[in-house]
Amino acid sequence: IESSPKLSYYNEYKSYLSSNMDSKGCIESSPKLSTVEGTPQHLLDELDKKKNDFEVYINNYEYPENISKSAKKKLTKNLRFQYFKAIFRKIERDKIKRKRSVTNTETETPTLVRKRTKLSDSTSKLRVAIDCSYDDLMSDRDIAKLTKQLQRCYAINRNMENPLQLTLTHLRDKTYNRFESCIAGYKNWDVHRSSESLDKLYPPSHVVYLCAESENVLTEFDDGKVYVIGGFVDHNSHKGLAYERALAAGFQHARLPIDSFFTLSTRRVLTVCHVYEIISNFCGGCSWSEAIRRTIPERKGLKGKEEDEKNDGETEEKVDFSFKDKGN
């Protein structure tokens, strides 16, 4: 399998920096970078300036006391990665832009750039919120996984013809700090963000919490409701927690109609981005069965039911979310 152009390009710059590191992790003085042909001089100058600034920064950096040599080396590597991340991105984008320009000149075909629809201009008024209030139950590693899944949800929404009204709620503490330190430009995302909790943002009667344990099967969406996905990476260590919180808060609740069409060899609990992708596929015109099949990975052991079981599944009672749910 060939490596992607972006990865090989980035690795080339990474190897350049590593080859010019001294024993303290500082960048030694060296001639301007010329390993990537065609890189504009102003970007090379900016990279040189970053090298000099990083040398001052790392020399004045206060490492934790009693840190081991390997831990110090790893920390220095992470600091270096974050410090040069922005300039790497600029150089990478410039290379892609130049490559497209050459391709268009050779083929004489103009580049078609699809205009993305803003949330304010979207015809879809369906509100989907991701509840990020589980920080205290997740490790730093799980927080990192959650932010990756939130990035995936944003990418899905951004590429929809009519994006959903996506909201990140209770965005604070560890999740917020992870965004601040590791996800450059997240403040420019075209999403709704709030540090407030669900019960302060929406009336309980308007909230439908999506839980795998719910006895209510979701069959259609109501623009008057807010459909909530629990922003939680728990590795099955807190089974049913989102369902318990929904009951305690007086929220309505429902589950996706997965078992109406398929059987799974594992639990019905899905990742945040898988739930969001199923919803976006359904809102984009797919049937429930198609939306689920296109999203759930093979490792879940997804198998279609026999025709008679499928018919039985399709006759399940629909939930009217215009009234208070009987489960509450």
Side-chain angles (χ1 to χ4, degrees):
I1 301 175
E2 296 181 358
S3 59
S4 66
K6 287 187 179 181
L7 182 61
S8 61
Y9 184 74
Y10 179 74
N11 285 338
E12 189 172 356
Y13 275 92
K14 233 175 31 169
S15 62
Y16 165 78
L17 292 175
S18 298
S19 63
N20 288 282
M21 284 288 166
D22 61 18
S23 59
K24 296 181 180 180
C26 300
I27 300 179
E28 300 172 348
S29 58
S30 59
K32 287 182 170 32
L33 177 61
S34 59
T35 55
V36 180
E37 185 179 355
T39 304
Q41 189 61 46
H42 72 276
L43 292 179
L44 296 178
D45 292 338
E46 186 175 347
L47 180 61
D48 279 343
K49 185 177 183 304
K50 293 288 284 186
K51 289 190 301 179
N52 296 330
D53 293 344
F54 181 75
E55 184 174 352
V56 175
Y57 170 74
I58 205 66
N59 285 334
N60 296 325
Y61 186 81
E62 295 184 3
Y63 289 94
E65 294 183 4
N66 302 323
I67 188 172
S68 66
K69 186 176 180 180
S70 59
K72 183 178 180 180
K73 185 177 180 181
K74 183 177 181 180
L75 178 57
T76 302
K77 181 179 179 181
N78 289 335
L79 290 171
R80 185 170 68 248
F81 174 80
Q82 294 299 330
Y83 205 88
F84 287 93
K85 188 174 181 179
I87 183 62
F88 285 157
R89 184 168 294 180
K90 286 183 180 180
I91 296 174
E92 179 182 296
R93 287 176 176 171
D94 177 78
K95 182 186 176 184
I96 294 172
K97 183 178 179 180
R98 286 185 285 107
K99 185 176 180 180
R100 286 177 177 171
S101 177
V102 171
T103 303
N104 292 339
T105 303
E106 293 175 352
T107 60
E108 297 183 357
T109 303
T111 303
L112 298 178
V113 179
R114 184 171 64 85
K115 186 176 180 181
R116 292 187 172 93
T117 306
K118 295 182 178 180
L119 292 191
S120 57
D121 299 329
S122 175
T123 59
S124 175
K125 301 306 175 185
L126 178 64
R127 294 176 292 173
V128 179
I130 300 178
D131 180 14
C132 302
S133 64
Y134 299 86
D135 278 23
D136 56 327
L137 300 174
M138 289 187 287
S139 65
D140 290 342
R141 186 174 183 180
D142 289 338
I143 290 290
K145 291 180 180 179
L146 174 62
T147 53
K148 286 289 186 182
Q149 293 183 29
L150 296 180
Q151 285 180 283
R152 172 62 181 160
C153 292
Y154 169 65
I156 292 170
N157 203 56
R158 187 177 179 224
N159 288 309
M160 292 183 68
E161 184 175 350
N162 286 294
L164 309 180
Q165 301 302 313
L166 175 61
T167 303
L168 304 181
T169 69
H170 206 280
L171 190 60
R172 51 190 174 188
D173 303 327
K174 289 195 288 186
T175 303
Y176 174 79
N177 292 336
R178 177 71 184 182
F179 270 101
E180 283 287 314
S181 61
C182 298
I183 305 180
Y186 85 94
K187 291 183 179 180
N188 298 323
W189 287 9
D190 187 20
V191 297
H192 306 294
R193 291 185 299 272
S194 176
S195 60
E196 299 291 340
S197 57
L198 282 172
D199 56 350
K200 292 184 178 180
L201 291 173
Y202 312 109
S205 60
H206 290 188
V207 176
V208 181
Y209 217 111
L210 300 179
C211 316
E213 296 80 13
S214 175
E215 67 274 13
N216 304 317
V217 180
L218 183 66
T219 56
E220 55 188 4
F221 291 102
D222 179 359
D223 286 351
K225 304 294 181 181
V226 181
Y227 297 87
V228 181
I229 305 170
F232 195 21
V233 177
D234 68 333
H235 307 288
N236 203 24
S237 58
H238 298 278
K239 184 177 179 181
L241 180 60
Y243 180 60
E244 293 172 5
R245 287 194 176 187
L247 292 177
F251 297 148
Q252 300 169 57
H253 51 81
R255 72 175 189 266
L256 296 177
I258 297 174
D259 51 2
S260 297
F261 306 97
F262 303 98
T263 58
L264 293 174
S265 59
T266 61
R267 289 181 64 213
R268 291 175 300 182
V269 178
L270 303 176
T271 63
V272 175
C273 52
H274 284 155
V275 175
Y276 194 81
E277 187 170 357
I278 290 174
I279 295 173
S280 65
N281 285 338
F282 179 77
C283 293
C286 295
S287 63
W288 275 118
S289 59
E290 184 182 359
I292 294 167
R293 188 185 294 277
R294 289 174 57 177
T295 302
I296 295 183
E298 293 182 0
R299 67 175 183 274
K300 284 285 187 179
L302 187 72
K303 294 182 180 179
K305 289 188 173 181
E306 297 296 330
E307 195 62 31
D308 55 340
E309 293 179 343
K310 184 184 293 185
N311 292 335
D312 290 340
E314 291 174 346
T315 59
E316 289 190 62
E317 180 182 358
K318 295 185 178 181
V319 181
D320 185 357
F321 286 118
S322 61
F323 300 96
K324 187 170 183 180
D325 188 63
K326 62 182 180 180
N328 293 317

